[in-house]
Every structure is written in structure tokens, then in C-alpha cells.
Amino acid sequence: MDQIRKQIEESIDLKKKVLSDEPFIKAIKAASDLCIDSLKNKHKILFAGNGGSAADAQHLAAELVNKFGFDRPGLPAIALTTDTSILTSISNDYGFVRLFARQVESLGQKGDVLIAFSTSGSSANILEGIKEAQARGIKVIGFSGQFTEKMLPFCDVFISVPSKETPRIQEMHIMIGHIICSAIENRMFARTK
């Protein structure tokens, strides 16, 4: 019971910490604005991540394609983590490090947004993907933990969760992703009942 309470308290403490961090809140707003501008201009959102972050990528793409809080038209979003034939062929032919870069090259267009998750901030395939996006005029929103030095230079908006603990970082990433999805829906569509 104590271990359960401890983990809940750690999650609450981290959320309280970022709640009073104005630059952190502004980064979430900037990420929302980038996504809304892209979608309003008939572009799409791409998502990338490894492991649990791959699940977050898929989760958030689904929230946009289907719906988040209310019925509205679907929005173009693609998780670059889902097609096993693509994933295995790229990994086999070019190596795992090119997994996201090759998909960004194939599917991304100037005006799109890539949302890239790396709790460590140093995933080689994420770094290659965001570099490819930058080279193509695709805006990059980076999600990480407190390790910032590798991803930060290649991101238009960077959201760095002030923690070294992967579970806490991932909990924050999905919460922030939900906030961004809510902002997109509420600013792009009139809520229907």
C-alpha cells in the first residue's frame, strides 16, 4: 500500500512542479499552436516514439483521426510506429536508426508537424527522424525527460519533463498530448452535443 501511495504522490508532485513552471506551460501552448496552424492549412501530424512512447504515438494519432472529447470531422494524423511491414523492411534494409527518417522522407511534407517522443532524449532513430523533418521544412515538437542536449537543437518546440524516471516522464507525455488534442478540437471545431 505504501508503494502505491508513493508512486501516486510522485506523479502528483511532478504535475504540481510543472503547473507553476510558466515556460513549460508556454511550450505546451506553442506545441498546440503549431499543430493547429498545420491542420488548418491542410497538413498533417506525424508521431514517432519507441516502446511505451510508440504506444503514446499511436494513442494520440487515434485521438486526432477519430475524436478526443466530442464528435467532429477526423483530422490527418499518422503514427510512424504501426505498420510492421514498413518497420521491418526499413530496419532490415537501412538499419533501425533510419526507421523514422525514412518514413518522414516518404510521408512528410513541408507544413506538416512531427511530434517525436524520447524519454531519454537520445534515441538515435528519433534524432535521425527529427533531423530529416527539419531538412524538409516539417516543424518538430520534441517530448523528452530532463535530458535535453541532443534533441533540443533540432526542435521548434521542446517539452522537457523535469524528471529522470521513465514512468513519470511517460505519464506526463500522455497528459500533455491529451491537452494538445483538447486544444486542437476546441479551437478548430464548435463543440456539438
Side-chain angles (χ1 to χ4, degrees), residues 62-79:
E63 302 287 21
L64 295 179
V65 169
N66 186 28
K67 66 176 186 171
F68 180 69
F70 57 88
D71 288 331
R72 41 84 180 158
L75 293 166
I78 302 170

Side-chain angles (χ1 to χ4, degrees), residues 32-174:
S32 301
D33 291 343
L34 269 185
C35 291
I36 291 164
D37 289 345
S38 177
L39 292 166
K40 281 185 174 178
N41 287 296
K42 308 296 183 197
H43 296 290
K44 63 188 169 296
I45 312 297
L46 305 172
F47 292 90
N50 294 297
S53 297
D56 290 344
Q58 292 166 215
H59 178 155
L60 295 173
E63 302 287 21
L64 295 179
V65 169
N66 186 28
K67 66 176 186 171
F68 180 69
F70 57 88
D71 288 331
R72 41 84 180 158
L75 293 166
I78 302 170
L80 305 179
T81 57
T82 57
D83 188 318
T84 53
S85 294
I86 290 173
L87 299 176
T88 55
S89 68
I90 293 170
S91 295
N92 184 63
D93 295 346
Y94 298 100
F96 190 67
V97 73
R98 294 290 300 161
L99 184 65
F100 297 122
R102 185 68 168 172
Q103 292 184 81
V104 168
E105 175 189 328
S106 301
L107 301 170
Q109 298 174 332
K110 185 175 182 177
D112 291 344
V113 171
L114 172 65
I115 297 180
F117 296 94
S118 174
T119 57
S120 70
S122 61
S123 302
N125 59 1
I126 292 294
L127 293 170
E128 289 297 309
I130 62 180
K131 289 174 188 176
E132 185 69 36
Q134 210 179 43
R136 295 181 171 278
I138 296 168
K139 299 291 185 184
V140 177
I141 299 169
F143 280 66
S144 187
Q146 70 180 40
F147 312 102
T148 64
E149 56 280 345
K150 290 187 179 178
M151 279 180 78
L152 178 61
F154 304 104
C155 295
D156 297 282
V157 176
F158 190 66
I159 299 173
S160 171
V161 174
S163 176
K164 294 180 182 178
E165 302 296 323
T166 297
R168 301 293 85 83
I169 295 165
Q170 289 177 331
E171 289 164 7
M172 290 293 294
H173 284 178
I174 202 63

Side-chain angles (χ1 to χ4, degrees), residues 3-57:
Q3 184 60 26
I4 293 169
R5 288 190 177 92
K6 180 178 182 286
Q7 290 189 48
I8 294 170
E9 285 172 359
E10 287 173 358
S11 185
I12 291 168
D13 290 345
L14 183 57
K15 289 176 174 72
K16 284 182 177 177
K17 184 175 184 178
V18 299
L19 184 60
S20 61
D21 183 339
E22 197 64 23
F24 190 88
I25 301 299
K26 286 182 178 177
I28 297 171
K29 169 78 165 63
S32 301
D33 291 343
L34 269 185
C35 291
I36 291 164
D37 289 345
S38 177
L39 292 166
K40 281 185 174 178
N41 287 296
K42 308 296 183 197
H43 296 290
K44 63 188 169 296
I45 312 297
L46 305 172
F47 292 90
N50 294 297
S53 297
D56 290 344

